[in-house]
Amino acid sequence: MTDTTRAAVPWHLWAVGVLSLLWNGFGAYDFVMSLTQRETYWRASGMTDAMIAYYNAMPTWMYVPWVLGVWGAVAGSILLLMRSRFAVHAFALSLLGAAVSLLYGAVIDKAPAPPPELAMMAWMPYVITLIAAFLAWYAWTMRKQGVLA
């Protein structure tokens, strides 16, 4: 297959691309609101004082994996819809960011437990990392099949 020839686009590429852009777009919204509105946004989201203190005390270096995770995912979704092979790289960076963030909150500096009515928040880092892994695998598979060039 030459560089100018691409494999046929499977229907699921558009479904995965649009759904991932919606999912990752919310992550971008959350990122922007967390940086610009901080405590006001977090309180409106139902975070406790302990959770807010935890995020306020987050070390500066943790912004690197957060940025990679969020914006790598957004870029990956857009690149996937553009059928660019660089979607693989963007999703790989996003997975790296998500994995480091998960390790930080689960092992290095354990995040406080959310209130009972927001118990799902405790699982979100795992869900985010699983979705990032799926998107990286999916983009890699589409690249390998010649759908992304």
Side-chain angles (χ1 to χ4, degrees), residues 10 18 24 57 93-94 128 130-131 138 141:
V18 169
N24 294 319
L93 287 174
S94 174
I128 290 166
L130 279 173
I131 291 172
Y138 182 82
T141 301

Side-chain angles (χ1 to χ4, degrees), residues 44-81:
S45 299
M47 287 189 175
T48 63
D49 288 338
M51 294 168 76
I52 291 169
Y54 175 81
Y55 285 105
N56 278 329
M58 186 172 72
T60 305
W61 68 267
M62 270 303 296
Y63 284 88
V64 173
W66 192 14
V67 166
L68 287 176
V70 170
W71 299 109
V74 170
S77 296
I78 293 168
L79 290 166
L80 185 67
L81 288 168

Side-chain angles (χ1 to χ4, degrees), residues 93-108:
L93 287 174
S94 174
L95 176 57
L96 175 65
V100 170
S101 295
L102 173 63
L103 278 171
Y104 178 80
V107 177
I108 298 170

Side-chain angles (χ1 to χ4, degrees), residues 30 34 38-56 113-115 117-118 121:
D30 183 65
S34 291
R38 300 194 65 82
E39 192 168 330
T40 302
Y41 173 67
W42 293 332
R43 285 202 187 283
S45 299
M47 287 189 175
T48 63
D49 288 338
M51 294 168 76
I52 291 169
Y54 175 81
Y55 285 105
N56 278 329
E117 63 273 12
L118 298 174
M121 285 179 76

